[in-house]
Amino acid sequence: MIAGGFGLTILIGALLLILPASSAEGVWTGFLDALFTSTSAVCVTGLIVVDTAVYWSPFGKVVILLLIQVGGLGIMLFAALIGLALARRLSVRSRIITGAETKAEGVGDLRGLALGILATTLTIEAAVAAVLFVRFLTGYGYDVGRAAWHAVFHAVSSFNNAGFALYTDSLMGFVSDPWVCLPISAAIILGGLGFPVLRQLRRELRVPLHWTMNTRIMLAGTAVLLVGGTIYTALMEWDNAGTLGPLDPASRVLAAFFHSVQARTAGFNSVDIAQMHDETWLGTDVLMLIGGGPAGTAGGIKVTTFAVLFFIMWAELRGSSTVNVFGKRLSRAVHREAITVVLVAIGAVMAAVIAILAMTDLDLDRVLFEVVSAFGTVGMSAGITAALPDAAQIILILLMFLGRLGPLTLGTALAFRERPVAYELPKERPAIG
């Protein structure tokens, strides 16, 4: 149901973007370009094959904005909200499916959960839009209408970690402006934490002892990745004349922090990604693959998955029989889930890289960057997306779809039904390492 809902929404979005009303020149848009853009919007990625600022008409940009909002909220959650509005109640099946998508612990209070997520989303987006509106109006001379439109579009795009911008160079024109970069970064971070974390922080912000393992891992992991990504980017790019080099020291730190935030699945850029050093690309690949939090607007394998693997490794190196995280024992079922997600992710990325390398003459580093960006639903680009052949763009579409749904969700949808087994085979242990 979840996979089908996303697929149907993408198809509807593509059909709307094909229409002449969606293009600035009033012409029909090719199906692949429309499908790629719709997938990128619904999967809140931000990779583009046509210039968003120039190619699409106001109607087309509104369609993209709506697709971003629907995709960020989640198809089943959006359907639940529509059901609540029309029927004032949810069926048991609807509650179970919505709970699966939102990672809810039960199905009893999904009405309150759905309305809470909607309220959180609109509140954060409104707050960021208000700050951006004032800045665009007073700092850049925009008229009221243009300032409001740009503020709302980028607030929605940032909270949903979509990375779509109304400027040809993304946000490079604001590289030294903290009043634009920091509100957008805050929205991205909050969206990337995941709705379960935001919900608990809203209720129990002052009671850390009540925080779940998921909340603790997300807050600690996010802080470590943001600080580490900022330091790494600054060290690698400090003297690069094509990126941070021309900026003053304060602006370099801001740009490095902004890049670290974007690599967590947002996809805006305030410096030229194509001019970065290879080692910066590789570090960004790692951040993009990890992504943000589960049941939120971020992609990647998720911070929690990465943390679980780290704690499993740490326990094994210490010879511990159990994996303990923040004073709690980790369920063995979570071990298998984390390993499955990572192996599927690595397999999908490697298969896509090999396929695209076979059909193009591009370098490995650029192809790897583009593929990881698609799977992590990041949207950062080394500048090759639009030039890729149709088959390669289709591969990126499939990767964005897989990355947004998650390997476990899509794998469950495609797998055969579980069959009970009335016996167990004898154990045997192969040599490891």
Side-chain angles (χ1 to χ4, degrees):
M1 286 289 291
I2 296 173
F6 270 93
L8 180 61
T9 305
I10 289 170
L11 180 59
I12 293 173
L15 294 177
L16 289 174
L17 292 176
I18 285 176
L19 300 176
S22 294
S23 67
E25 296 183 358
V27 298
W28 293 90
T29 299
F31 178 72
L32 183 58
D33 289 344
L35 180 65
F36 193 100
T37 303
S38 178
T39 304
S40 185
V42 173
C43 297
V44 289
T45 305
L47 285 175
I48 57 174
V49 289
V50 295
D51 189 343
T52 305
V54 176
Y55 184 85
W56 301 110
S57 67
F59 174 77
K61 292 172 183 175
V62 170
V63 170
I64 291 173
L65 183 66
L66 293 176
L67 293 175
I68 290 171
Q69 189 70 285
V70 172
L73 282 173
I75 303 301
M76 294 302 108
L77 177 60
F78 182 76
L81 290 168
I82 297 297
L84 286 172
L86 297 178
R88 298 294 178 183
R89 63 186 179 87
L90 291 175
S91 66
V92 174
R93 185 182 185 187
S94 296
R95 285 187 285 165
I96 291 174
I97 296 173
T98 306
E101 187 182 38
T102 57
K103 302 294 188 295
E105 296 181 356
V107 297
D109 188 32
L110 278 182
R111 182 179 186 276
L113 173 65
L115 294 177
I117 290 176
L118 179 63
T120 299
T121 298
L122 296 180
T123 298
I124 295 174
E125 289 175 350
V128 174
V131 176
L132 293 178
F133 171 76
V134 173
R135 184 56 178 166
F136 289 146
L137 189 66
T138 61
Y140 295 92
Y142 290 9
D143 59 55
V144 173
R146 186 186 181 195
W149 166 239
H150 280 240
V152 170
F153 187 96
H154 292 98
V156 172
S157 184
S158 58
F159 177 75
N160 289 286
N161 281 222
F164 278 87
L166 295 178
Y167 306 96
T168 300
D169 61 355
S170 190
L171 299 180
M172 290 176 61
F174 308 100
V175 62
S176 300
D177 191 343
W179 291 101
V180 173
C181 292
L182 292 182
I184 287 177
S185 296
I188 292 166
I189 294 170
L190 291 174
L193 285 175
F195 291 119
V197 176
L198 293 178
R199 189 184 188 206
Q200 182 163 52
L201 291 179
R202 181 169 57 87
R203 293 183 171 185
E204 302 176 312
L205 178 62
R206 299 182 180 181
V207 194
L209 291 177
H210 292 177
W211 293 353
T212 63
M213 182 189 295
N214 181 73
T215 298
R216 293 168 185 265
I217 289 176
M218 277 306 307
L219 293 178
T222 297
V224 169
L225 291 173
L226 286 176
V227 174
T230 301
I231 295 174
Y232 183 85
T233 303
L235 290 176
M236 295 298 104
E237 297 293 322
W238 193 263
D239 295 323
N240 187 346
T243 55
L244 303 185
L247 304 174
D248 60 82
S251 296
R252 294 183 193 184
V253 173
L254 176 62
F257 171 76
F258 191 76
H259 178 77
S260 179
V261 173
Q262 306 316 307
R264 305 290 315 293
T265 79
F268 295 111
N269 61 282
S270 62
V271 295
D272 190 351
I273 302 295
Q275 298 298 319
M276 285 184 164
H277 296 310
D278 293 349
E279 52 269 30
T280 310
W281 281 351
L282 184 59
T284 304
D285 287 339
V286 174
L287 293 175
M288 292 193 297
L289 186 62
I290 295 174
T297 59
I301 64 171
K302 304 298 187 292
V303 174
T304 47
T305 304
F306 179 76
V308 164
L309 289 181
F310 172 80
F311 286 117
I312 291 174
M313 178 192 70
W314 185 250
E316 188 65 27
L317 292 176
R318 297 181 60 188
S320 176
S321 60
T322 60
V323 180
N324 300 318
V325 182
F326 295 119
K328 299 289 184 65
R329 180 169 55 86
L330 195 65
S331 169
R332 292 190 180 276
V334 178
H335 301 191
R336 298 193 300 270
E337 291 178 2
I339 293 171
T340 300
V341 168
V342 172
L343 290 179
V344 171
I346 293 175
V349 168
M350 290 299 100
V353 168
I354 292 172
I356 295 177
L357 285 175
M359 64 181 68
T360 65
D361 296 325
L362 297 169
D363 297 332
L364 171 61
D365 49 4
R366 290 181 180 270
V367 173
L368 178 62
F369 190 93
E370 216 77 6
V371 166
V372 174
S373 180
F375 174 80
T377 67
V378 179
M380 282 188 177
S381 176
I384 64 172
T385 305
L388 290 174
D390 291 351
Q393 292 183 4
I394 292 174
I395 291 174
L396 294 184
I397 288 174
L398 296 175
L399 282 174
M400 289 188 286
F401 191 75
L402 172 62
R404 181 65 183 95
L405 264 68
L408 284 182
T409 300
L410 190 58
T412 302
L414 298 177
F416 294 105
R417 292 186 179 274
E418 182 181 356
R419 293 178 296 178
V421 179
Y423 60 88
E424 289 186 359
L425 298 175
K427 290 182 179 179
E428 187 171 349
R429 180 171 180 171
I432 300 296

